[in-house]
Amino acid sequence: MKTIIKGLAIAATMTAGSAYADGGVIKFGHDNKTDPFENPAHACTAVFSNIVTADTNGSVSVEVFGSNQLGSASEHVQQVRDGIIQATLTSTGALASYYPRIDVLNLPFAFDGNASTYEVFDGAFGKELAADIEAELGDVVVLGFPDTGGFFAVTNSKHAIADLKDFDGIRIRTMTLPSHQKIMQSLGAEAYPLSWGEVYSGLQTGVIDGQMNPVPIISFANFAEVQKYMTLTNHLFSPYTFMINRSFYEGLSDSEQATLHTAAENCVAASRGLSRIIEASDRGLAGLMDQIEVTALSADQRAAMAGAAQPAFEAHVAENMDARAGELLDMFKSEVAAANAAAYLN
């Protein structure tokens, strides 16, 4: 029944596709819960929708379809490319099958703090990455890189993880990205790719021992019910890519396009702001600390993990990706180092 309903929804969208473009309606699909106070992705889309509708006096409006109403995250990317829907926020995992170079963002233990991520993705590297995505896909315009919830932490049901040796024998769920698997393996864990919808049951039944995600996602997914330990590894920061169909975008007036960019900037800011609020509230780390044993790494512990994971990741990129990916990775490393240094000085 769910498949039939989803098929009917997509078919209806396809049937009315030309009307959407003519009428200036942006169908915006994403795979997160539809509560702007609980989820950074939906906060982003809510702010974007409000600004676009208000500032264009309704000549462009936005209809948001969350919770995979129109398909999976990967399907949303193809739907945007085909003009079936006009916009989406997509994870690195979902985008990788269309744009493999997005994997360079998975350099482990790269950032020292949230402020550094803002500098990198709002700056020269973010612009270069957006341009490369647009050049490779051809049929999308990238409007920004919203926050998915912050840095990744690792949870598990076996024991506290503070050192490399503690990963030994722990089966950690990863996305289907080979780089994520390489990172976990380099730390000594057993990497176990599993779809998002199976993670809770996998943890509950012991198919997997642990998983890695930003703290707000760990909280909202109720993983503390089936996990005993959490380590604030901060080993990955994986933003969404906000993309819109190029034909639709180019059919807008210059003023409407400018409004979309302004709205997108505010969308990104909203995702970041809500992520930081959730992290600091009882819906984030403060709340989780009452339910799960939390370990924060020392600088030396984190450096040891980085020393094991970064060479493995860079070898993976060198062996499996093209020269352009190597150029992007070099630029990413340079921009991250500069942003980390600037944040430290401030």
Side-chain angles (χ1 to χ4, degrees):
M1 180 60 71
K2 289 182 178 178
T3 302
I4 294 172
I5 293 171
K6 182 184 292 185
L8 290 172
I10 294 174
T13 306
M14 292 175 68
T15 302
S18 60
Y20 294 152
D22 293 341
V25 177
I26 297 173
K27 297 292 181 181
F28 200 140
H30 67 79
D31 62 350
N32 287 273
K33 293 181 179 179
T34 54
D35 187 334
F37 300 103
E38 294 287 344
N39 186 276
H42 202 67
C44 177
T45 61
V47 169
F48 178 79
S49 175
N50 181 64
I51 293 174
V52 168
T53 302
D55 288 7
T56 64
N57 290 315
S59 67
V60 182
S61 60
V62 183
E63 297 178 6
V64 180
F65 296 85
S67 300
N68 288 328
Q69 292 178 63
L70 300 180
S72 67
S74 182
E75 288 169 337
H76 290 154
V77 176
Q78 191 60 52
Q79 289 167 12
V80 170
R81 299 187 70 189
D82 293 339
I84 297 170
I85 63 176
Q86 285 67 49
T88 192
L89 303 177
T90 182
S91 67
T92 55
L95 185 56
S97 59
Y98 302 94
Y99 177 72
R101 293 174 194 151
I102 196 68
D103 211 9
V104 302
L105 303 188
N106 289 313
L107 176 68
F109 301 96
F111 292 101
D112 288 346
N114 286 303
S116 297
T117 71
Y118 307 158
E119 289 293 324
V120 170
F121 289 106
D122 292 346
F125 175 79
K127 292 178 175 62
E128 185 75 11
L129 179 63
D132 199 63
I133 294 170
E134 292 173 359
E136 286 297 302
L137 271 61
D139 38 27
V140 303
V141 174
V142 175
L143 296 180
F145 299 96
D147 201 320
T148 57
F151 289 107
F152 277 49
V154 173
T155 67
N156 84 97
S157 58
K158 296 294 186 181
H159 53 248
I161 294 175
D163 298 295
L164 282 170
K165 60 180 175 56
D166 296 327
F167 281 100
D168 186 41
I170 304 291
R171 180 178 289 182
I172 301 290
R173 178 264 176 182
T174 70
M175 295 182 192
T176 54
L177 286 168
S179 63
H180 281 197
Q181 296 163 44
K182 290 288 185 183
I183 291 166
M184 284 295 104
Q185 290 164 356
S186 71
L187 295 173
E190 179 184 346
Y192 194 92
L194 195 64
S195 67
W196 173 246
E198 299 177 271
V199 177
Y200 186 94
S201 62
L203 295 169
Q204 189 175 41
T205 59
V207 170
I208 48 177
D209 302 314
Q211 60 80 52
M212 57 180 191
N213 262 300
V215 168
I217 293 177
I218 291 169
S219 177
F220 296 151
N222 297 316
F223 288 154
E225 295 175 351
V226 289
Q227 298 279 266
K228 296 180 180 179
Y229 309 95
M230 180 169 72
T231 302
L232 304 177
T233 51
N234 293 356
H235 64 290
L236 288 175
F237 179 85
S238 184
Y240 292 116
T241 298
F242 182 177
M243 59 177 62
I244 190 165
N245 176 268
R246 178 171 290 280
S247 295
F248 178 86
Y249 174 85
E250 292 179 347
L252 300 175
S253 68
D254 290 346
S255 174
E256 289 168 339
Q257 289 179 6
T259 295
L260 258 62
H261 284 281
T262 298
E265 290 173 1
N266 282 272
C267 158
V268 171
S271 72
R272 291 170 177 170
L274 184 62
S275 294
R276 303 294 81 77
I277 290 170
I278 291 171
E279 286 173 341
S281 74
D282 58 6
R283 294 176 296 158
L285 183 58
L288 284 172
M289 290 178 74
D290 293 331
Q291 307 171 60
I292 193 168
E293 183 179 320
V294 177
T295 299
L297 299 178
S298 69
D300 288 344
Q301 289 169 330
R302 194 166 184 271
M305 292 181 187
Q310 287 183 353
F313 173 81
E314 294 192 41
H316 164 76
V317 171
E319 293 168 7
N320 296 282
M321 302 184 74
D322 62 12
R324 177 58 176 151
E327 294 171 359
L328 286 170
L329 179 57
D330 287 343
M331 183 179 184
F332 183 58
K333 289 166 62 178
S334 176
E335 294 290 318
V336 168
N340 285 342
Y344 177 78
L345 290 173
N346 292 334

